[in-house]
Amino acid sequence: RHSQRFAATLAADLDTGWGSSIRRLQCIDVHAEGEPARVVVGGLPHIPGGIHDKRALMMKPPLDAIRKLLMTEPRGYPCQNVDYVLPPSHPKAAFDIIIAEQNCIYPAMSGHNMMCVATALLETGMVPMMEPISEFALNTPAGLVDVQAECSAGKAKRVLLRNAPSFLQPENMDVEVDVPGGIGKVRL
């Protein structure tokens, strides 16, 4: 109910320029070894709720229009990703992060996107940089991701991630797979 009311209000705001003035999105283009990401650090409307509520709202019109605006021509291109930096909903997180990709895909987590976000946050001072090592956490729909960045001369030189825990349930274990190329059956 609350999200429906929020979406209706936001739709009206988007139709009128998001209020009485034109909305300006603040974006930083970053790459991790050539993989691009456009990190949105400001200008988004307030998006209420926890990380899963935020992700769900970003996936629906009218907010999905922001993804399209930033990822398609003339501002984007087929390999473009967008990362939304939002206020944290987890007490241990510096920020909540929502990742958007082409074709209305909002993955729970992406390594290269988290590296790009960490770099942008550190190099803009949104997360205080501590040399030689900066440590903080980012909240994603997959869970909390710990970040450790090697920093020097105001730059993030290397970013290491400890991803959210993942697991297989017992019924998903002990699977036999037929591997092509002469390898044959392999039990996992």
Side-chain angles (χ1 to χ4, degrees):
R1 293 173 203 95
H2 175 71
S3 65
Q4 290 172 339
R5 192 170 48 241
F6 169 76
T9 302
L10 184 59
D13 286 350
L14 285 172
D15 287 341
T16 61
W18 292 1
S20 60
S21 64
I22 294 174
R23 174 74 57 169
R24 294 178 195 265
L25 295 172
Q26 292 129 16
C27 304
I28 302 167
D29 283 354
V30 187
H31 75 90
E33 296 295 330
E35 285 289 324
R38 182 161 287 153
V39 182
V40 182
V41 296
L44 290 169
H46 170 71
I47 302 169
I51 189 77
H52 296 288
D53 300 321
K54 292 175 183 178
R55 181 179 180 208
L57 288 169
M58 293 301 295
M59 293 171 73
K60 297 176 186 170
L63 283 177
D64 189 54
I66 299 170
R67 178 191 62 81
K68 292 177 187 172
L69 173 78
L70 295 172
M71 293 179 68
T72 58
E73 296 290 347
R75 293 166 199 86
Y77 56 99
C79 293
Q80 188 69 58
N81 297 298
V82 174
D83 303 312
Y84 303 110
V85 176
L86 302 167
S89 60
H90 189 289
K92 293 182 179 176
F95 292 97
D96 281 358
I97 307 299
I98 303 294
I99 302 161
E101 295 179 351
Q102 298 289 350
N103 301 317
C104 199
I105 297 171
Y106 287 81
M109 169 51 190
S110 165
H112 102 271
N113 281 288
M114 287 301 102
M115 290 178 202
C116 290
V117 168
T119 299
L121 293 175
L122 286 164
E123 291 186 7
T124 61
M126 291 177 69
V127 168
M129 183 180 286
M130 305 297 290
E131 294 184 14
I133 301 291
S134 295
E135 295 180 316
F136 58 98
L138 298 171
N139 191 27
T140 71
L144 208 58
V145 175
D146 293 320
V147 177
Q148 184 182 72
E150 293 178 17
C151 302
S152 176
K155 298 285 184 190
K157 301 290 186 178
R158 181 176 175 188
V159 176
L160 303 171
L161 305 173
R162 180 175 303 274
N163 207 345
S166 63
F167 60 93
L168 288 174
Q169 297 195 10
E171 61 267 17
N172 296 329
M173 297 170 70
D174 199 28
V175 176
E176 191 171 280
V177 178
D178 191 12
V179 180
I183 295 174
K185 295 193 184 285
V186 175
R187 185 166 301 282
L188 305 173

